[in-house]
Amino acid sequence: MDLGTEFIRLPWRFEAARMAEEIHRLPESAWMAHPDGTPGNTAVALISRAGSDNDQFRGAMRPTRHLLQCEYLQQVIASFGEVFGRSRLMRLAPGAEVVPHVDFHHHWHNHLRVHIPVLTN
């Protein structure tokens, strides 16, 4: 997929092992199916509407109980010094993939999307 521009490397560095440790402590029940039903793609809501387990874009955004259990992830988010909207941990099952796509929802017209790989090959 040709994006026509290079990715921007941000000036932050995080302790992936520390993030992974917190993520591994989350219960399996915290992981929700992808809203589009993409096979093998699950997520944990960290910041969401009303702080509950949902994928909604509108409404007052609050930290979820999952984020409140992850002290270091809270520090990572705070280090950006910005207001955050819907934020999630994403997980792919072995053999699953993210198909090329465009996030066309109006929410993304004036919001920035940042991906931080924690565990990857």
Side-chain angles (χ1 to χ4, degrees), residues 6-111:
E6 293 183 26
F7 285 98
I8 298 170
R9 184 172 299 273
L10 298 174
W12 292 277
R13 294 186 63 85
F14 304 112
E15 296 178 45
R18 192 166 171 196
M19 288 193 294
E21 180 182 310
E22 288 186 343
I23 293 166
H24 287 304
R25 286 196 307 251
L26 293 170
E28 189 61 32
S29 61
W31 295 89
M32 304 182 298
H34 189 278
D36 293 338
T38 306
N41 190 330
T42 55
V44 172
L46 295 177
I47 298 173
S48 66
R49 192 187 98 210
S52 60
D53 291 338
N54 65 70
D55 286 307
Q56 298 181 20
F57 291 99
R58 293 184 178 165
M61 295 291 160
R62 304 277 184 258
T64 66
R65 67 186 184 277
H66 313 300
L67 178 57
L68 295 176
Q69 295 173 21
C70 299
E71 181 181 330
Y72 186 63
L73 286 176
Q74 290 178 59
Q75 292 173 22
V76 167
I77 290 170
S79 71
F80 286 89
E82 298 292 337
V83 174
F84 270 65
R86 185 185 78 159
S87 301
R88 307 178 291 176
L89 294 170
M90 303 297 295
R91 176 176 72 175
L92 292 176
E97 60 183 35
V98 176
V99 296
H101 66 284
V102 175
D103 295 317
F104 58 86
H105 189 279
H106 69 85
H107 174 83
W108 298 113
H109 292 196
N110 57 4
H111 289 82

